[in-house]
Amino acid sequence: MSSYYCPDCATRTPVESASWCCPDCRGPWDLEFAAAPVDLKSLSGRVNSMWRYEEALPLRAPAVSLGEGRTPLVPLTETVSVKLDFLMPTLSFKDRGAVLLAELARRLAPRRVIADSSGNAGTAIAAYCARAGLDCTVYVPEATSAKKVEQIRAHGAHLELVPGDREATAEAARAAADVPGTFYASHVYNPYFLHGTKTYVYELWEDLGGTLPEAIVVPVGNGTLLLGAAIGIGELHAHGLIAERPALIAVQAETVSPLAAAFHAGAEDLLDDNAPPRPTLAEGIAIPRPARARQILRAVRESGGTFLTVTEDQIRAAQLDLAARGLFVESTGVACWAAAGGWTDRAAVVPLCGAGLKTGVAPGPGPHSVQ
């Protein structure tokens, strides 16, 4: 296995230590791992899952795979295509990272696995821990969508409903993570998750014949898909497999947009006077203080991208608009489509991250097109 290292204070520790954060600054880990180049011509005969890019992944030959990855890329307009990442085993893109965390946990053999989530990551961790035969506890806010709670329980995980917001849930899980014999399957703190989500970009690269679009648009809360995309883009560029890096267009709900506020203020980290969060239909990205804020802001700036925000009415309209096009997506997953006016001047790909059955139809006005 590789080693963890802290990007802020350069502390290092073996992955086998199962340390979930830097012991000096309590920040999230990065991973000392050098991906090998993937030969595009070699892919046609490989397994039809994200594990076809095995040279680029820090773990190989997983015992817990459910066939995740290789989701369809569908054109919706002349310039915009959508990647149907809700067609995953647990109906969200979080399977890309969860399978690596569960496989890592299986190899480390802890007494129990814990995770915290607004719903989708917890569902994915629960499913893959069930596959691996691992005892799993998932912490979620008490206001989490009923269907997501039901799905977590269906996979046999212990469920902890935490009063308060997403941050209170994370604090409860982090306290439990310090108990000996525990593996904290954190999609925020553990970098293996990001090396799973980077396969989103490898799939785009393959499907587009060895190229990437001008812009990759992603919804951002904790930034796990955006940072994974940045890792994947960096690897492809470093290996000479793409000539140009696409711009990363990050989308937040207007009511919970700390990263957008910091970005447009020119700050390198979250603002001290950050506005308190308000309720949003996009529960999956309602993160008031993302732990990897500095990395997210840096990745967007270095890509030449930007941050956009969307209103609750735009989210409602976008969900209905996509449904009218044949795609029923959860309210968080439509945020990027809701921001369509901000990036349709260039060829772009949008992830549809979670199935509409997870949250149902958002209440509000009737359907109208966002294009």
Side-chain angles (χ1 to χ4, degrees), residues 11-343:
T11 299
R12 283 169 167 77
T13 190
V15 169
E16 291 86 346
S17 72
S19 174
W20 66 267
C21 71
C22 174
D24 296 328
C25 69
R26 302 289 282 182
W29 291 120
D30 280 353
L31 189 65
E32 287 189 326
F33 168 72
V38 175
D39 180 4
L40 185 65
K41 295 179 181 179
S42 73
L43 295 176
S44 60
R46 296 192 182 187
V47 61
N48 192 35
S49 74
M50 62 181 250
W51 296 96
R52 66 202 280 112
Y53 314 110
E54 62 177 357
E55 301 96 326
L57 293 170
L59 295 175
R60 300 189 185 185
V64 300
S65 176
L66 292 166
E68 54 286 331
R70 298 296 294 142
T71 55
L73 183 64
V74 179
L76 278 197
T77 73
E78 289 185 3
T79 58
V80 180
S81 295
V82 291
K83 189 158 175 59
L84 310 190
D85 256 25
F86 64 85
L87 298 180
M88 290 275 196
T90 75
L91 308 181
S92 91
F93 86 94
K94 297 289 176 62
D95 291 3
R96 293 185 184 275
V99 63
L100 267 81
L101 292 186
E103 178 63 20
L104 178 59
R106 187 189 69 81
R107 297 183 188 193
L108 296 177
R111 287 199 296 271
R112 66 169 184 162
V113 174
I114 66 167
D116 61 282
S117 169
S118 59
N120 284 340
T123 296
I125 297 295
Y128 284 93
C129 281
R131 176 77 164 170
L134 295 167
D135 183 81
C136 179
T137 299
V138 179
Y139 291 73
V140 299
E142 60 183 1
T144 298
S145 301
K147 291 295 183 182
K148 294 180 181 179
V149 169
E150 180 181 0
Q151 195 176 4
I152 292 168
R153 285 185 170 135
H155 291 304
H158 310 288
L159 192 68
E160 293 285 347
L161 295 172
V162 180
D165 61 11
R166 181 67 181 83
E167 184 58 30
T169 302
E171 289 176 2
R174 290 195 292 264
D178 287 327
V179 175
T182 299
F183 178 82
Y184 184 22
S186 173
H187 61 294
V188 179
Y189 280 79
N190 194 302
Y192 277 84
F193 194 93
L194 305 181
H195 283 268
T197 60
K198 76 181 180 186
T199 59
Y200 176 86
V201 165
Y202 277 86
E203 290 180 19
L204 291 180
W205 170 74
E206 181 183 359
D207 289 342
L208 296 174
T211 64
L212 288 175
E214 295 176 82
I216 293 178
V217 190
V218 288
V220 176
N222 277 309
T224 55
L225 183 55
L226 184 142
L227 290 173
I231 292 171
I233 291 167
E235 290 173 353
L236 290 170
H237 189 263
H239 294 142
L241 298 174
I242 55 172
E244 302 290 337
R245 297 173 184 245
L248 292 170
I249 310 298
V251 179
Q252 294 204 288
E254 186 180 81
T255 58
V256 189
S257 52
L259 290 162
F263 181 88
H264 292 297
E268 295 182 357
D269 205 341
L270 299 177
L271 302 176
D272 291 335
D273 59 348
N274 191 39
R278 291 171 285 149
T280 177
L281 296 165
E283 63 181 10
I285 53 174
I287 310 298
R289 300 201 65 83
R292 293 185 184 269
R294 292 175 65 88
Q295 291 175 273
I296 296 166
L297 292 166
R298 184 168 59 249
V300 173
R301 286 197 176 100
E302 289 178 352
S303 78
T306 191
F307 271 85
L308 302 172
T309 61
V310 293
T311 67
E312 299 303 289
D313 284 346
Q314 286 176 308
I315 291 171
R316 293 185 186 96
Q319 187 185 44
L320 294 171
D321 182 63
L322 280 172
R325 299 169 187 258
L327 298 165
F328 185 32
V329 183
E330 69 167 317
S331 47
T332 297
V334 305
C336 292
W337 189 248
W343 42 260

Side-chain angles (χ1 to χ4, degrees), residues 338-352:
W343 42 260
T344 49
D345 58 326
R346 43 187 158 177
V349 172
V350 174
L352 302 184

